[in-house]
Amino acid sequence: MHGKGTTIRFLVSSTLSLLGNSIAAIALPLILLATTGDALAAGALALVCAVPQMLLGVLGGAALDRFNRRNISILSDLISAASVALIPIVDMIWGLNFWWFVVLGLMGAVGDIPGMTARDALLPTVTKRDGVDLQRFMGMSQSLDSLTTIVGPAIAALLIGTVGGTSALWFTAALSAAAAIVTMTLPSVVGVPETAAGEPIDAASPSPSRGIAAAAFGALREGLRVLLRSDRVLACSTLFSFGIVMVMGSFQGLALPVHFTLTGQPELLGYVLSALSGGMLISSLAYAALAPRLSRRAWYVTSLVGMAVGVALLSTLPPFPLMLLGALVLGIAAGPASALLGFFMYDRIPDASRGSAFGTQNSIMLIAAPVAVFATSVAVSTLGERPAALILMACWGLITVAALLVKPMRHLDDESEASGEEASPEVAPAADR
């Protein structure tokens, strides 16, 4: 037993990094739109960066099975801090343009993507070292993540309204640097990958017959197999998670920023997203307390129907008070679905395959969202932001119908009883990462 110090420091580092990312997620689309004045440019930037981001994610996942994960997490946060800090520096010296966003976006991807997977890989080792129950830690971590995603957009709105979007990025860079400093205090041993037998891997003498590229390809192939072919419920959860990320990424990354930019109130975007996160926090806590009182299928159906109502409200781009209401309804409804999809991911992926599976999932998520954002930017440029938002609502409707009717998701409680599982409300937010 080592006390709880390692777990607490890990949680602090993760929170600082997530807070910085949540602020940047609000500020960067608004800065890009203010710089280029073109919604299509925002979509093109996401698409240009998508393939390199996916490759970095796959390579990073393979590296995490060979090199010290703690050190990769530290380096990733430092690179992220530098890439964000360079945006206001470039703006002061040369002036920002589209290609500067491409260069700095790719630089940020080098930090963000491996760093995100490194934290996923470190988490079980950190809790094991401190003797902390993993399920309880996941519940605490999910609640803290929800709080962070409430505070982050609100801070972003405050900073954008007072010092401007570009200057707000100094705060984001400082948070990423602070996350790296806190991670440095973790024992180096927690980052050493282990074999299936529990022995540490010797990174200094890798097999000459299996280089990093071959390892990356193997991890991608294994990850796809586990996610899509090993279990029907897992496959459906994976595909629905992709759909959620694509549609909600398009709302958050383009449709809503364009709307608030055109109305001359960009700072209001942060408050809408804070309302969404606040709703998710409320419903996550309610689900944790009341989960045994309803079947999984009942939670699943209620959550999906409620999410459809929230999206319908947002898609009309109503006046600000109604938009806040729509975001709150969507957040409240999304909590149980997010928890269930996350539970299925962690529960059904074999422990020995979690690295390759989550690395593959993160990589595909990172390319799926930009593709959707680019398609939305085309719709916004040709049809306008309101028709584009209605198209997103239609896409969400198709996802909802498929999620409700597909056969493997209609017998969730039958499978639970057959396998002797106990419903657990304390799950990781894998679906909304």
Side-chain angles (χ1 to χ4, degrees), residues 258-306:
V258 168
H259 172 70
F260 284 116
T261 298
L262 291 176
T263 58
Q265 298 173 305
E267 70 279 0
L268 296 184
L269 174 63
Y271 297 117
V272 170
L273 297 182
S274 288
L276 192 151
S277 297
M280 286 195 69
L281 175 61
I282 293 170
S283 60
S284 294
L285 294 173
Y287 179 76
L290 304 174
R293 300 191 181 185
L294 288 176
S295 68
R296 289 182 184 171
R297 176 66 180 176
W299 280 112
Y300 182 73
V301 171
T302 302
S303 185
L304 287 174
V305 172

Coordinates of all heavy atoms in Angstrom, one line a residue, residues 258-306:
V258 N -20.5 28.9 -35.6 CA -20.9 29.8 -36.7 C -22.1 30.6 -36.4 O -22.2 31.8 -36.6 CB -21.2 28.9 -38.0 CG1 -21.9 29.8 -39.1 CG2 -19.9 28.3 -38.5
H259 N -23.1 30.0 -35.7 CA -24.3 30.7 -35.4 C -24.0 31.9 -34.4 O -24.4 33.0 -34.6 CB -25.3 29.8 -34.7 CG -26.5 30.4 -34.1 ND1 -27.5 31.0 -34.9 CD2 -26.8 30.6 -32.8 CE1 -28.4 31.5 -34.1 NE2 -28.0 31.3 -32.8
F260 N -23.2 31.6 -33.4 CA -22.9 32.7 -32.4 C -22.0 33.8 -33.0 O -22.0 34.9 -32.6 CB -22.4 32.1 -31.1 CG -23.4 31.4 -30.3 CD1 -23.4 30.1 -30.0 CD2 -24.4 32.2 -29.7 CE1 -24.3 29.5 -29.2 CE2 -25.4 31.6 -28.9 CZ -25.3 30.2 -28.7
T261 N -21.1 33.4 -33.9 CA -20.3 34.3 -34.6 C -21.1 35.3 -35.4 O -20.9 36.5 -35.4 CB -19.2 33.6 -35.4 OG1 -18.4 32.8 -34.6 CG2 -18.3 34.6 -36.2
L262 N -22.1 34.7 -36.2 CA -22.9 35.5 -37.1 C -23.8 36.5 -36.3 O -24.2 37.5 -36.7 CB -23.7 34.6 -38.0 CG -22.9 33.8 -39.0 CD1 -23.9 32.9 -39.8 CD2 -22.2 34.8 -40.0
T263 N -24.2 36.0 -35.1 CA -25.1 36.9 -34.2 C -24.3 37.9 -33.4 O -24.8 38.7 -32.7 CB -25.9 36.0 -33.3 OG1 -25.1 35.2 -32.5 CG2 -26.9 35.1 -34.1
G264 N -22.9 37.8 -33.5 CA -22.1 38.8 -32.8 C -22.0 38.5 -31.3 O -21.6 39.4 -30.6
Q265 N -22.2 37.3 -30.9 CA -22.1 36.9 -29.5 C -21.3 35.6 -29.3 O -21.9 34.7 -28.7 CB -23.5 36.8 -28.9 CG -24.4 38.0 -29.0 CD -25.8 37.8 -28.5 OE1 -26.5 36.9 -29.1 NE2 -26.3 38.6 -27.6
P266 N -20.1 35.6 -29.7 CA -19.3 34.3 -29.6 C -19.2 33.8 -28.2 O -19.0 32.6 -28.0 CB -18.0 34.7 -30.2 CG -17.9 36.2 -30.1 CD -19.3 36.7 -30.2
E267 N -19.2 34.7 -27.2 CA -18.9 34.2 -25.8 C -20.1 33.4 -25.3 O -19.9 32.6 -24.4 CB -18.7 35.4 -24.9 CG -20.0 36.3 -24.7 CD -20.2 37.3 -25.8 OE1 -19.5 37.3 -26.8 OE2 -21.2 38.1 -25.6
L268 N -21.3 33.5 -25.9 CA -22.4 32.7 -25.5 C -22.3 31.2 -25.7 O -22.9 30.4 -25.1 CB -23.7 33.2 -26.1 CG -24.1 34.7 -25.8 CD1 -25.5 35.0 -26.4 CD2 -24.2 34.9 -24.3
L269 N -21.4 30.8 -26.7 CA -21.2 29.4 -26.9 C -20.7 28.7 -25.7 O -21.2 27.6 -25.4 CB -20.1 29.3 -28.0 CG -19.7 27.8 -28.4 CD1 -20.8 27.0 -28.9 CD2 -18.5 27.8 -29.3
G270 N -19.8 29.3 -24.9 CA -19.4 28.6 -23.7 C -20.5 28.3 -22.7 O -20.5 27.3 -22.1
Y271 N -21.4 29.3 -22.6 CA -22.5 29.0 -21.6 C -23.4 27.9 -22.1 O -24.0 27.2 -21.2 CB -23.3 30.3 -21.4 CG -22.5 31.5 -20.8 CD1 -22.2 32.6 -21.5 CD2 -21.9 31.3 -19.6 CE1 -21.4 33.6 -21.0 CE2 -21.1 32.3 -19.0 CZ -20.9 33.5 -19.7 OH -20.1 34.5 -19.2
V272 N -23.7 27.8 -23.4 CA -24.5 26.7 -23.9 C -23.9 25.4 -23.6 O -24.5 24.4 -23.1 CB -24.8 26.9 -25.4 CG1 -25.4 25.7 -26.0 CG2 -25.6 28.1 -25.7
L273 N -22.6 25.3 -23.8 CA -21.9 24.0 -23.6 C -21.8 23.7 -22.1 O -21.7 22.5 -21.7 CB -20.5 24.0 -24.3 CG -20.5 24.2 -25.8 CD1 -19.1 24.1 -26.4 CD2 -21.4 23.1 -26.4
S274 N -21.7 24.7 -21.3 CA -21.7 24.5 -19.9 C -23.0 24.0 -19.4 O -23.1 23.1 -18.5 CB -21.4 25.8 -19.1 OG -20.0 26.2 -19.2
A275 N -24.1 24.5 -20.0 CA -25.4 23.9 -19.7 C -25.5 22.5 -20.0 O -26.1 21.7 -19.3 CB -26.5 24.7 -20.4
L276 N -25.0 22.1 -21.2 CA -25.0 20.7 -21.6 C -24.2 19.8 -20.6 O -24.7 18.8 -20.2 CB -24.4 20.6 -23.0 CG -24.6 19.2 -23.7 CD1 -24.6 19.5 -25.2 CD2 -23.4 18.3 -23.4
S277 N -23.0 20.3 -20.2 CA -22.2 19.5 -19.2 C -22.9 19.5 -17.9 O -22.8 18.5 -17.2 CB -20.8 20.1 -19.1 OG -20.2 20.1 -20.3
G278 N -23.6 20.6 -17.5 CA -24.3 20.6 -16.2 C -25.4 19.6 -16.2 O -25.6 18.8 -15.2
G279 N -26.1 19.5 -17.3 CA -27.2 18.4 -17.4 C -26.6 17.0 -17.3 O -27.2 16.2 -16.6
M280 N -25.4 16.8 -17.9 CA -24.8 15.5 -17.8 C -24.4 15.1 -16.4 O -24.5 14.0 -16.0 CB -23.6 15.4 -18.8 CG -24.0 15.3 -20.2 SD -22.6 14.7 -21.3 CE -22.4 13.0 -20.8
L281 N -23.9 16.1 -15.7 CA -23.5 15.9 -14.3 C -24.7 15.5 -13.5 O -24.7 14.6 -12.7 CB -22.8 17.2 -13.7 CG -22.5 17.1 -12.3 CD1 -21.5 16.0 -12.0 CD2 -21.9 18.4 -11.8
I282 N -25.8 16.2 -13.6 CA -27.0 15.9 -12.9 C -27.5 14.5 -13.2 O -27.8 13.7 -12.2 CB -28.1 17.0 -13.2 CG1 -27.8 18.4 -12.7 CG2 -29.5 16.5 -12.7 CD1 -28.7 19.5 -13.3
S283 N -27.6 14.2 -14.4 CA -28.1 12.8 -14.8 C -27.1 11.7 -14.4 O -27.5 10.6 -14.1 CB -28.4 12.8 -16.3 OG -27.3 13.0 -17.1
S284 N -25.8 12.0 -14.4 CA -24.8 11.0 -14.0 C -25.0 10.7 -12.6 O -25.0 9.5 -12.1 CB -23.4 11.5 -14.3 OG -23.2 11.6 -15.7
L285 N -25.2 11.7 -11.7 CA -25.4 11.5 -10.3 C -26.7 10.8 -10.0 O -26.8 9.9 -9.2 CB -25.3 12.8 -9.6 CG -24.0 13.5 -9.6 CD1 -24.1 14.9 -8.9 CD2 -22.9 12.7 -8.8
A286 N -27.7 11.1 -10.8 CA -29.0 10.5 -10.6 C -29.0 9.0 -11.0 O -29.5 8.1 -10.4 CB -30.1 11.2 -11.4
Y287 N -28.2 8.8 -12.1 CA -28.1 7.4 -12.6 C -27.3 6.5 -11.6 O -27.7 5.4 -11.3 CB -27.4 7.4 -13.9 CG -27.2 6.0 -14.5 CD1 -28.2 5.3 -15.1 CD2 -25.9 5.4 -14.4 CE1 -28.0 4.0 -15.6 CE2 -25.7 4.1 -14.9 CZ -26.7 3.4 -15.5 OH -26.5 2.2 -16.0
A288 N -26.3 7.1 -11.0 CA -25.5 6.4 -10.0 C -26.4 6.0 -8.8 O -26.2 4.9 -8.2 CB -24.4 7.3 -9.5
A289 N -27.4 6.9 -8.4 CA -28.2 6.6 -7.3 C -29.4 5.7 -7.6 O -29.8 4.9 -6.8 CB -28.7 7.9 -6.7
L290 N -29.9 5.8 -8.8 CA -31.2 5.1 -9.2 C -31.0 4.0 -10.2 O -32.1 3.4 -10.5 CB -32.2 6.2 -9.7 CG -32.4 7.4 -8.8 CD1 -33.3 8.4 -9.6 CD2 -33.1 6.9 -7.5
A291 N -29.8 3.7 -10.6 CA -29.6 2.7 -11.7 C -30.4 1.3 -11.4 O -31.0 0.8 -12.3 CB -28.2 2.4 -11.9
P292 N -30.3 0.8 -10.2 CA -30.9 -0.5 -10.0 C -32.5 -0.5 -10.1 O -33.1 -1.6 -10.2 CB -30.5 -0.9 -8.5 CG -29.3 0.0 -8.2 CD -29.5 1.2 -9.0
R293 N -33.1 0.7 -10.0 CA -34.5 0.7 -10.0 C -35.1 0.6 -11.4 O -36.3 0.4 -11.5 CB -35.0 2.1 -9.4 CG -34.5 2.3 -8.0 CD -35.2 3.4 -7.3 NE -34.8 3.6 -5.9 CZ -35.2 4.5 -5.1 NH1 -36.2 5.3 -5.5 NH2 -34.8 4.6 -3.9
L294 N -34.3 0.7 -12.4 CA -34.8 0.5 -13.8 C -33.9 -0.5 -14.5 O -32.7 -0.6 -14.2 CB -34.8 1.9 -14.6 CG -35.9 2.9 -14.2 CD1 -35.6 4.2 -15.0 CD2 -37.3 2.4 -14.4
S295 N -34.5 -1.1 -15.5 CA -33.6 -2.1 -16.3 C -32.7 -1.2 -17.2 O -32.9 -0.1 -17.5 CB -34.5 -2.9 -17.2 OG -35.2 -2.1 -18.2
R296 N -31.6 -1.9 -17.6 CA -30.7 -1.2 -18.6 C -31.4 -0.8 -19.8 O -31.2 0.3 -20.4 CB -29.6 -2.1 -18.9 CG -28.6 -2.4 -17.8 CD -27.4 -3.2 -18.2 NE -26.6 -3.5 -17.1 CZ -25.6 -4.4 -17.1 NH1 -25.3 -5.1 -18.2 NH2 -24.8 -4.6 -16.0
R297 N -32.3 -1.6 -20.3 CA -33.0 -1.3 -21.6 C -33.9 0.0 -21.3 O -34.0 0.9 -22.2 CB -33.9 -2.4 -22.0 CG -34.8 -2.2 -23.2 CD -34.0 -1.9 -24.5 NE -34.9 -1.7 -25.6 CZ -34.5 -1.3 -26.8 NH1 -33.2 -1.2 -27.1 NH2 -35.4 -1.1 -27.8
A298 N -34.5 0.1 -20.2 CA -35.4 1.2 -19.9 C -34.5 2.5 -19.8 O -34.9 3.6 -20.3 CB -36.1 1.0 -18.5
W299 N -33.4 2.5 -19.1 CA -32.5 3.6 -19.1 C -32.0 4.0 -20.5 O -32.0 5.2 -20.9 CB -31.2 3.3 -18.2 CG -31.4 3.4 -16.8 CD1 -31.4 2.3 -15.9 CD2 -31.6 4.6 -16.0 NE1 -31.6 2.8 -14.6 CE2 -31.7 4.2 -14.6 CE3 -31.7 5.9 -16.3 CZ2 -31.9 5.1 -13.6 CZ3 -31.9 6.8 -15.3 CH2 -32.0 6.4 -14.0
Y300 N -31.7 3.0 -21.3 CA -31.2 3.2 -22.6 C -32.2 3.9 -23.5 O -31.9 4.9 -24.2 CB -30.8 1.8 -23.2 CG -30.2 1.8 -24.6 CD1 -28.9 2.2 -24.8 CD2 -31.0 1.3 -25.7 CE1 -28.4 2.1 -26.1 CE2 -30.4 1.2 -26.9 CZ -29.1 1.6 -27.1 OH -28.6 1.6 -28.4
V301 N -33.5 3.4 -23.5 CA -34.5 3.9 -24.3 C -34.9 5.4 -23.9 O -35.0 6.3 -24.7 CB -35.8 3.1 -24.3 CG1 -36.9 3.8 -25.0 CG2 -35.5 1.7 -25.0
T302 N -35.0 5.5 -22.6 CA -35.4 6.9 -22.0 C -34.3 7.9 -22.4 O -34.6 9.0 -22.8 CB -35.6 6.8 -20.5 OG1 -36.6 5.9 -20.2 CG2 -35.9 8.2 -20.0
S303 N -33.1 7.5 -22.3 CA -32.0 8.4 -22.5 C -31.9 8.8 -24.0 O -31.8 10.0 -24.4 CB -30.6 7.7 -22.1 OG -29.6 8.6 -22.3
L304 N -32.1 7.8 -24.9 CA -32.0 8.1 -26.4 C -33.2 9.0 -26.8 O -33.0 9.9 -27.6 CB -32.0 6.8 -27.2 CG -30.7 6.0 -27.1 CD1 -30.9 4.7 -27.8 CD2 -29.6 6.8 -27.8
V305 N -34.4 8.7 -26.3 CA -35.5 9.6 -26.6 C -35.3 11.0 -26.1 O -35.6 12.0 -26.8 CB -36.8 9.0 -26.1 CG1 -38.0 9.9 -26.3 CG2 -37.1 7.6 -26.8
G306 N -34.9 11.1 -24.9 CA -34.6 12.5 -24.3 C -33.5 13.2 -25.1 O -33.7 14.4 -25.3

